[in-house]
Amino acid sequence: MKIEHKQMAVALLVRVKIEKWRRIPVIYGRTGRVIPGRVIWLGKELNFENVSYEIRYYKNGRACYVPAGKSASDAEEKRRTLQAQLSAKAIAAAAGVAVTEMAGRKTLKTWAAEYDDKKSVLIGDAQIRKERYARARFFDVVGKTYIDELTEIDTLAFLRHLYSYPVYWIARKFPSKRVQAGQNRRRLPTQHRCLSKRTVFQYFMIVRAWLLEGGADRKIFPPPPKFEEKEVTIYTPEEIETFFSLATGNLRMAVSLMLKCGMRRQEAAHACFKDIDYVQKTILIREKPEYGFQTKTRKQRRVPVPDDLIADLRHWEKNHPGQMLIIQTPKGKPDRRMIRELKRFVYLHGLRCGLCGHCQLGNPNCEEWEFHKYRRTYITAICRHVDLRTAQEYAGHARITSTERYLKAASAIEGQKRVSAIDWAKSFYEPPATK
Ligand SMILES: [Zn+2]
């Protein structure tokens, strides 16, 4: 057998362990093919099984190594491609042609890290975590290295993987102990044992945006999955009346701010006394950098406060002297976990619906009671009392379409009388009787 050592600018090496890990040039057979696993060391022919290959090339006089997999023929193919690319560049440079530095092929992993880095400056922590989680689900099923290798099969596999998560998770029968819950949170920072259709849509769009920005072909993506958009749920007047007849203290004040000023949960938790204008009867909703709180749209807004709530707030401020926050924990910090108080209140006063998943399973935390529902009630009401543009302003929505959703909320109830007025036994086509 004729054995020749090719001194090449781009060489294929094999990684083997002879006393220590070494990179040794591969042996080419008579036909020009790489003989798998064969090396010559100290004049002796040695055969190895299950070896991995690397490609060596020189960049500015320094050797660079690229992993080339475990298949000898594939590795040789990769080496040839790289050599052709490099020589084309060298010829162009010698001819004095300005060569624009071709951006190297992007690997999925490096692009994920790069994108993460860039986004972390622009968007909040929670969103970053969500995007990371969505990408991790992508890497669960797609094992490709480069972005330009992706095909529709990969994106479909990703979508199928998302659909494989159950839509519902059976709620715990007994609420876990606090310590246990803490341990769970630490172990699973993003706990998504089930994905709703809406979440599947969101994850798909996150990964799609990430890959498109990385230079993926638009054609490899199937149309985005569909999900059912939920109707807005609000509290009935009776529920609100019952709540205010029973609630006291911090919980009552928090709900008042959400129901009567349309605050979000965190906005109510971070509201300060100095934001209130008692003369104009308004309150300013703004960021609180001292507590690390930012408004959702990064915009301040001033909303009117009803007379009864202004009176309540005056009284409240008198009873809580020297306090910055309207609602605070005994330690003087913003109460970010008021939801526990609401669920406890509902349980103690027997207000649970008895029909939702949690109620059915005997879990005391009824799903029908939540803080955001008070805000939804506020926006639904305010839409019917002021014009839509003003309602958007008070609600602090970035887009008017978000507010329009609330205008729709009770239109079925409003139309009910008109539907009732229809006499179904009469012909609809009869022309009106002329005199
Ligand atoms: Zn319930």
Side-chain angles (χ1 to χ4, degrees):
M1 188 188 287
K2 186 187 158 203
I3 297 160
E4 66 183 81
H5 284 278
K6 287 187 184 173
Q7 285 299 316
M8 286 174 294
V10 181
L12 191 61
L13 311 169
V14 57
R15 261 182 88 77
V16 288
K17 197 171 186 183
I18 306 169
E19 289 159 10
K20 61 172 193 168
W21 281 103
R22 299 171 197 276
R23 293 186 182 100
I24 303 171
V26 294
I27 310 293
Y28 290 88
R30 195 171 295 178
T31 51
R33 283 196 194 141
V34 175
I35 302 170
R38 183 172 298 175
V39 292
I40 288 182
W41 184 249
L42 301 175
K44 271 186 203 161
E45 238 180 54
L46 299 170
N47 281 307
F48 290 88
E49 269 176 31
N50 204 14
V51 290
S52 57
Y53 295 89
E54 280 185 15
I55 300 167
R56 182 187 62 201
Y57 65 97
Y58 291 92
K59 193 176 179 182
N60 304 330
R62 287 180 67 181
C64 303
Y65 298 91
V66 190
K70 294 200 162 192
S71 154
S73 52
D74 287 359
E76 173 63 9
E77 194 57 47
K78 277 181 191 163
R79 186 195 68 78
R80 276 192 200 142
T81 319
L82 188 63
Q83 190 172 34
Q85 279 172 1
L86 291 176
S87 59
K89 224 157 115 185
I91 292 163
V97 183
V99 186
T100 49
E101 185 63 38
M102 214 167 57
R105 284 173 84 191
K106 261 182 200 153
T107 66
L108 286 163
K109 295 264 163 153
T110 54
W111 174 232
E114 215 175 284
Y115 191 76
D116 229 31
D117 250 23
K118 194 173 80 176
K119 273 292 188 85
S120 63
V121 186
L122 304 170
I123 56 176
D125 270 1
Q127 186 65 23
I128 281 285
R129 249 175 281 138
K130 188 173 167 182
E131 296 207 350
R132 244 178 239 158
Y133 189 79
R135 273 197 296 275
R137 299 293 70 76
F138 179 77
F139 285 121
D140 280 350
V141 285
V142 179
K144 299 242 169 113
T145 315
Y146 297 102
I147 292 181
D148 50 17
E149 281 179 324
L150 292 175
T151 60
E152 196 170 6
I153 293 166
D154 300 312
T155 52
L156 286 172
F158 171 52
L159 201 53
R160 197 172 300 121
H161 179 54
L162 290 182
Y163 278 135
S164 72
Y165 281 80
V167 176
Y168 297 106
W169 184 260
I170 298 160
R172 273 196 305 271
K173 189 150 187 178
F174 302 103
S176 62
K177 287 170 199 157
R178 228 176 119 184
V179 178
Q180 239 172 11
Q183 281 170 348
N184 274 341
R185 264 201 302 284
R186 273 192 291 280
R187 199 169 61 232
L188 305 162
T190 39
Q191 238 179 33
H192 288 264
R193 287 169 298 189
C194 60
L195 299 181
S196 71
K197 287 276 173 66
R198 191 190 154 91
T199 318
V200 167
F201 170 81
Q202 287 175 341
Y203 286 180
F204 179 81
M205 292 312 264
I206 286 169
V207 168
R208 185 169 173 265
W210 162 61
L211 288 175
L212 283 179
E213 208 176 313
D217 189 2
R218 196 168 281 274
K219 283 177 201 154
I220 64 168
F221 295 99
K226 289 183 179 164
F227 64 93
E228 193 172 272
E229 211 171 306
K230 277 185 192 156
E231 280 281 287
V232 172
T233 51
I234 56 173
Y235 286 112
T236 60
E238 295 80 49
E239 278 170 331
I240 289 172
E241 209 187 316
T242 330
F243 177 86
F244 280 104
S245 66
L246 294 170
T248 52
N250 276 355
L251 181 63
R252 185 194 172 92
M253 183 46 74
V255 167
S256 303
L257 290 173
M258 289 181 232
L259 179 70
K260 294 174 182 173
C261 297
M263 286 192 193
R264 295 184 178 97
R265 193 161 48 96
Q266 297 296 332
E267 286 167 354
H270 293 90
C272 285
F273 282 115
K274 66 176 177 185
D275 298 335
I276 308 167
D277 185 339
Y278 285 111
V279 182
Q280 307 282 343
K281 295 181 180 171
T282 57
I283 186 161
L284 182 70
I285 297 165
R286 58 180 180 92
E287 63 167 9
K288 302 282 166 2
E290 62 270 38
Y291 299 115
F293 166 71
Q294 290 176 313
T295 53
K296 193 176 177 188
T297 51
R298 307 287 190 275
K299 254 188 197 169
Q300 293 193 350
R301 67 181 199 270
R302 193 171 275 286
V303 293
V305 186
D307 286 338
D308 58 338
L309 183 54
I310 274 285
D312 276 358
L313 280 167
R314 262 217 184 93
H315 190 68
W316 186 263
E317 186 165 6
K318 212 180 280 170
N319 288 348
H320 297 83
Q323 193 171 307
M324 281 273 286
L325 295 158
I326 298 177
I327 301 151
Q328 67 176 26
T329 59
K331 284 184 179 173
K333 288 189 174 155
D335 193 350
R336 297 193 179 95
R337 291 173 181 181
M338 280 184 295
I339 186 65
R340 289 178 184 175
E341 236 173 287
L342 177 71
K343 299 278 186 190
R344 193 178 144 80
F345 168 86
V346 168
Y347 177 72
L348 290 176
H349 292 280
L351 299 175
R352 294 191 298 159
C353 75
L355 297 169
C356 68
H358 281 199
C359 286
Q360 291 276 313
L361 283 160
N363 185 323
N365 303 323
C366 177
E367 290 173 34
E368 292 293 311
W369 290 83
E370 41 162 344
F371 282 129
H372 207 78
K373 203 162 164 183
Y374 288 106
R375 179 174 145 85
R376 290 201 289 270
T377 313
Y378 169 83
I379 302 172
T380 309
I382 209 84
C383 278
R384 283 157 178 80
H385 287 87
V386 298
D387 65 287
L388 200 62
R389 186 74 188 78
T390 316
Q392 182 198 357
E393 200 65 36
Y394 292 166
H397 283 152
R399 297 192 199 103
I400 203 145
T401 44
S402 318
T403 324
E404 275 166 4
R405 205 166 146 244
Y406 291 88
L407 204 54
K408 207 184 75 178
S411 56
I413 302 166
E414 285 155 358
Q416 200 274 338
K417 271 194 188 131
R418 278 179 229 165
V419 179
S420 300
I422 300 171
D423 188 352
W424 300 100
K426 251 167 83 179
S427 170
F428 313 132
Y429 304 111
E430 220 170 313
T434 47
K435 280 173 194 172

